[in-house]
Amino acid sequence: MRIAGLDIATNTGVGLILGEEVRALSFRPKEKRPFGLGPGEVDFAYEGRLAREFRDWLRPLLVAEGIEAVGIEKPLPPNVTYRKPIVDRNTEWAGTAIRYEEKGGTTMATIFRIYSFVGEACELCARLNIPVHVFSQDAWRKSFLGFSKAPKGTTDGSAWLKAQAKAQCGRIGVEVKNADAADAVGVVWHLRGIVDPLKHGLFAAAE
């Protein structure tokens, strides 16, 4: 079995299961950001060059490793936010007070790039006749970590979950250089349970 998992983001992680070998790597574009481009702004010509660079990097990898199936983490919608509790310890009311601030949300630039890269990966796999499976963060985390949410009250749930993925990679003997690569190992781990459930676990959740 030779399969790959992609955690597509501004920096993209790739997890590989090649027979009994598990590897992790990541892709970071080399194309320089245009001068004067503000945070969250989209330069479509620039994004096109990044997509081309990603495609030119991914295709040789899939071909050289003889990849038979690819798993991709489902991109989140752009309006995902959460309510962060803010504790005011200076209030006179019972010693503390809690208010909530809306946090999260993703810029148009980030969303455009993620969906662009996902589209490139799916089209490339279609051209190479490689089956693609797309599933949620919760699905692969349950397979790889045994849980999909940070403990209640965790200040930064995303950072905590990424740290858990890196720790899990250490436990199974996979060297990872960053959190994106660690998440990608989780993605390909879950994919293995989908394409070979009898050998690698019937209870790997799938969507």
Side-chain angles (χ1 to χ4, degrees):
M1 178 187 300
R2 303 181 71 83
I3 57 178
L6 305 180
D7 174 37
I8 294 178
T10 304
N11 298 316
T12 294
V14 180
L16 300 171
I17 293 180
L18 310 171
E20 298 303 315
E21 179 189 9
V22 183
R23 276 199 281 137
L25 54 152
S26 59
F27 167 79
R28 184 183 180 90
K30 297 179 181 179
E31 178 79 23
K32 297 297 183 182
R33 184 178 177 84
F35 178 77
L37 185 63
E41 294 180 352
V42 179
D43 181 315
F44 293 97
Y46 170 59
E47 295 299 334
R49 294 193 296 273
L50 293 181
R52 180 180 61 192
E53 187 180 340
F54 173 65
R55 182 189 184 89
D56 289 348
W57 179 84
L58 183 60
R59 188 183 192 282
L61 175 68
L62 298 177
V63 172
E65 298 296 352
I67 298 302
E68 300 165 325
V70 169
I72 300 176
E73 180 185 277
K74 183 187 298 181
L76 293 174
N79 60 345
V80 172
T81 59
Y82 65 95
R83 297 177 71 216
K84 180 179 180 180
I86 307 297
V87 179
D88 181 1
R89 301 187 184 280
N90 296 320
T91 182
E92 296 179 0
W93 294 95
T96 61
I98 299 177
R99 59 187 173 83
Y100 292 88
E101 290 185 356
E102 200 78 8
K103 294 290 184 179
T106 308
T107 66
M108 175 61 184
T110 299
I111 288 297
F112 185 90
R113 185 171 307 168
I114 291 173
Y115 278 81
S116 173
F117 281 17
V118 169
E120 290 288 344
C122 289
E123 193 278 336
L124 181 56
C125 287
R127 191 172 293 274
L128 295 173
N129 200 30
I130 299 174
V132 174
H133 303 264
V134 180
F135 37 78
S136 69
Q137 291 179 351
D138 285 353
W140 73 255
R141 282 176 174 150
K142 286 176 183 175
S143 294
F144 189 53
L145 303 176
F147 49 82
S148 62
K149 305 294 183 186
K152 189 175 181 179
T154 304
T155 303
D156 189 336
S158 177
W160 187 87
L161 287 166
K162 287 182 178 296
Q164 297 306 305
K166 291 179 73 173
Q168 183 73 331
C169 285
R171 285 190 285 270
I172 63 174
V174 180
E175 181 180 353
V176 294
K177 294 184 177 179
N178 52 52
D180 303 300
D183 282 358
V185 172
V187 173
V188 77
W189 195 271
H190 179 64
L191 175 65
R192 183 172 64 174
I194 292 174
V195 299
D196 194 357
L198 292 177
K199 183 177 180 181
H200 297 290
L202 287 170
F203 302 103
E207 285 191 350

